[in-house]
Structures are given as C-alpha cells and as structure tokens.
C-alpha cells in the first residue's frame, strides 16, 4: 500500500528544529493555511452531508458524531456548540468519543482501535432510521469511527464520512464521502494540525449549512440562538430590531412576549398581533423566518 498522505514528510520540515522561532512558526502557519483550502475542494460533498444532517434533525432524529483522538476533539467542539448557537435540542446531538469521557482528560491511542466498543455504543444508543452519523478520521481507516459508521448504516441511519486521505476505507461505507486532501503535515503524522484544521472547517461548514436549511439563520444572523447570557440577550434585541425594521425598545418588548425566542419576536415586532399568531406563521413556514415575514405582510 502506498504511504498515506497524512503520514508523508513535509518538504520544508528538514531542519525546522534548528530555525529561528519566527521562521519555524511561519512554516507552521503556512502549513495550516494550506490545509484549510482542502475544505473548499469538498464543497459539493459537504452540501450533501448538510442536507442529510438537516433531514435527520427535521424529523426528530439525531446528529451523531463518532471519532477518536484529535478528530474526536474537532467533532466534540462542533457538536457542543450546536444547541447554544442554533437552538438544536441537546438530545438531538450526540458524540461517540473513543475512550469515553475519560479520554477528554487523558487522551490515549488505544481506544481508537476498539471497533467492538463503537459497535456496542451505536447499538446501545438505538441508532436507526431518522438518525445521521458522521464518522471523522484523518487516516480514513481508524477502527472506532469506521465500525461506528458500519453499524449505523446497517441499522438504517444516514452516514457521512470525513477523512483526509483519498481512497480511504471509510468512504466505502458511507452515503456521503467528504475527502479533505490536506498537504503533508509539517510535523509528520501530527494530524491535530493541518488535518484537524481542515476537519474543523468542514464540520463548521456542514453544521452551519444544516442550520440554514433548518431556518435557523437569517441574513447571516443566528435567529435560533439560545440567549442565555447578557451578551446574547443584547444581540437578540439588536437582531429583532434589524430584521423587523423597528427600534430596540420595540424589539425588547417583543422578546419579553416570546420569552426570548427571536423568530416569533421578529414577527411580533413586525406586526403580528401576538405570540400565537407568530407561532402559527412559523409553523406554516416550517420554522423559516423569511417566508413567515412574507405571510405577515397582508396582515400588517
């Protein structure tokens, strides 16, 4: 088998440990920037993955991430922010991390080889039709996420695979294969660097596009955000005012009427007679604010 791209030596790594710090760091920075471009090459596949994820959330299913090591940390970072950023129900976002919670403070390599643990976790979770599982692995052959994907697919779930090597084994077992062909790592095999950067960017893109498909983004604003601190409550007020074309005092009153929910508050500020009517308009528009505002126009 030819050597994997993620294991190759970087052409500028020779003698990097002897260079002045500024020069060495510039090579590291350029390596990260080059790796980031890999996500652009996978845009069509990321779009397909986002649709699978959105479909699962829309029908009440779960978005499940399965990964190990550095890839697991990238997946965890993406997953943990979805409820707060886009208002996705916490029970609809699940992370299967090789080694479990203990691995978050003591990351070891062994658990990534435990395919049986992954299969059992998928089974115990009751993964099935309506769910969507994303397997993330730089090499594309790590046993833990590979087994999780295989088990999920066998159970009827939609599956997405993210890896950094072309022709990865993972891609043979998923509905959507997202290849992020990152350059050789400056520190050979250290996929927490370039490969991890590309994975995080791809996950950011996928989950954000998923949120847009679900109607949780309007003109670049997070209109389904959970405003649970001072900063976010202030942001919510400004969003309601901007979208509805009203002042912040009106926006604040609308938010009080909806217990801080932004989308119905926008509709109330824009002329909906109350929260019940605002909610009806949103239900008719499947949670999307723009068509709900258009439906409101004849009322206003």
């Amino acid at each position: 088998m030819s050597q994997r791209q993620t294991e190759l030596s970087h052409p500028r790594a020779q003698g990097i440990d002897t260079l002045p710090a500024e020069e060495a760091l510039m090579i590291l920075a350029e390596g990260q920037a080059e790796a980031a471009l890999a996500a652009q090459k996978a845009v069509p596949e990321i779009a397909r993955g986002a649709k699978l994820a959105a479909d699962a959330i829309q029908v009440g299913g779960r978005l499940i991430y399965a990964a190990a090591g550095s890839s697991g940390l990238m997946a965890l970072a993406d997953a943990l922010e979805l409820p707060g950023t886009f208002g996705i129900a916490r029970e609809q976002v699940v992370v299967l991390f090789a080694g479990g919670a203990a691995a978050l403070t003591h990351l070891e390599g062994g658990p990534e080889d435990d395919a049986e643990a992954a299969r059992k976790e998928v089974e115990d979770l009751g993964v099935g039709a309506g769910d969507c599982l994303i397997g993330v692995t730089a090499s594309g052959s790590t046993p833990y996420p590979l087994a999780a994907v295989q088990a999920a697919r066998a159970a009827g779930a939609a599956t997405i695979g993210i890896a950094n090597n072309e022709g990865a084994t993972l891609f043979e077992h998923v509905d959507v294969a997202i290849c992020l062909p990152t350059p050789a790592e400056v520190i050979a095999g250290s996929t927490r660097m370039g490969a991890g950067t590309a994975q995080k960017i791809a996950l950011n893109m996928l989950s954000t596009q998923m949120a847009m498909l679900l109607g949780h983004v309007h003109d670049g604003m997070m209109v389904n955000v959970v405003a649970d601190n001072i900063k976010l409550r202030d942001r919510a007020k400004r969003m309601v005012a901007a979208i509805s074309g009203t002042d912040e005092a009106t926006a604040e009153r609308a938010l009080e009427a909806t217990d801080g929910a932004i989308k119905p508050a926008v509709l109330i500020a824009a002329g909906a007679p109350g929260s019940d009517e605002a909610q009806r308009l949103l239900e008719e528009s499947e949670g999307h604010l723009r068509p709900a505002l258009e439906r409101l126009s004849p009322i206003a």
Side-chain angles (χ1 to χ4, degrees):
M1 189 193 316
S2 60
Q3 191 175 8
R4 295 179 181 133
Q5 181 72 14
T6 50
E7 298 293 333
L8 296 178
S9 296
H10 193 280
R12 297 179 65 191
Q14 189 69 32
I16 190 172
D17 50 299
T18 68
L19 297 176
E22 290 83 356
E23 195 172 336
L25 288 169
M26 186 59 70
I27 294 172
L28 291 174
E30 289 172 356
Q32 298 281 283
E34 290 170 11
L37 297 176
Q40 296 180 8
K41 300 175 183 177
V43 162
E45 292 76 23
I46 293 171
R48 289 175 56 212
K51 180 64 166 60
L52 285 185
D55 287 347
I57 297 296
Q58 187 73 54
V59 300
R62 294 165 294 182
L63 180 60
I64 304 157
Y65 299 73
S70 297
S71 296
L73 295 175
M74 298 302 105
L76 183 66
D78 193 65
L80 287 179
E81 295 206 72
L82 294 185
T85 303
F86 297 123
I88 308 295
R90 293 192 182 277
E91 62 270 19
Q92 287 187 276
V93 183
V94 181
V95 180
L96 301 181
F97 196 111
L104 298 179
T105 55
H106 191 64
L107 200 60
E108 295 181 325
E112 74 174 38
D113 295 331
D114 197 343
E116 183 53 39
R119 282 189 284 268
K120 186 176 187 307
E121 288 166 19
V122 168
E123 182 181 352
D124 290 348
L125 197 59
V127 175
D131 294 322
C132 178
L133 187 142
I134 306 175
V136 190
T137 158
S139 68
S141 60
T142 305
Y144 182 91
L146 184 57
V149 160
Q150 291 170 322
R153 195 178 198 191
T159 53
I160 301 166
I162 298 177
N164 300 83
N165 285 315
E166 294 179 355
T169 304
L170 178 71
F171 297 152
E172 300 171 11
H173 303 279
V174 295
D175 299 305
V176 174
I178 299 174
C179 184
L180 306 172
T182 44
E185 301 285 1
V186 177
I187 309 302
S190 182
T191 53
R192 74 186 183 90
M193 303 180 73
T197 293
Q199 288 171 2
K200 185 60 172 73
I201 292 172
L203 287 166
N204 284 346
M205 292 165 64
L206 190 154
S207 58
T208 302
Q209 176 62 22
M210 174 192 76
M212 287 193 277
L213 291 172
L214 292 169
H216 299 336
V217 176
H218 181 97
D219 287 342
M221 288 178 272
M222 300 178 288
V223 291
N224 215 45
V225 67
V226 176
D228 57 2
N229 62 30
I230 294 171
K231 176 188 72 175
L232 292 178
R233 285 191 289 272
D234 184 62
R235 182 184 296 167
K237 181 170 62 177
R238 286 185 278 110
M239 282 193 284
V240 170
I243 298 170
S244 65
T246 56
D247 56 39
E248 290 192 5
T250 301
E252 190 166 17
R253 287 193 296 272
L255 283 164
E256 289 172 0
T258 63
D259 292 325
I262 294 169
K263 285 191 275 188
V266 168
L267 293 169
I268 289 172
S275 57
D276 288 345
E277 176 63 16
Q279 197 58 47
R280 184 188 68 79
L281 289 166
L282 284 169
E283 288 173 2
E284 290 179 357
S285 303
E286 298 183 334
H288 290 255
L289 185 54
R290 196 177 306 277
L293 282 166
E294 291 171 357
R295 289 171 184 267
L296 175 65
S297 296
I299 301 172

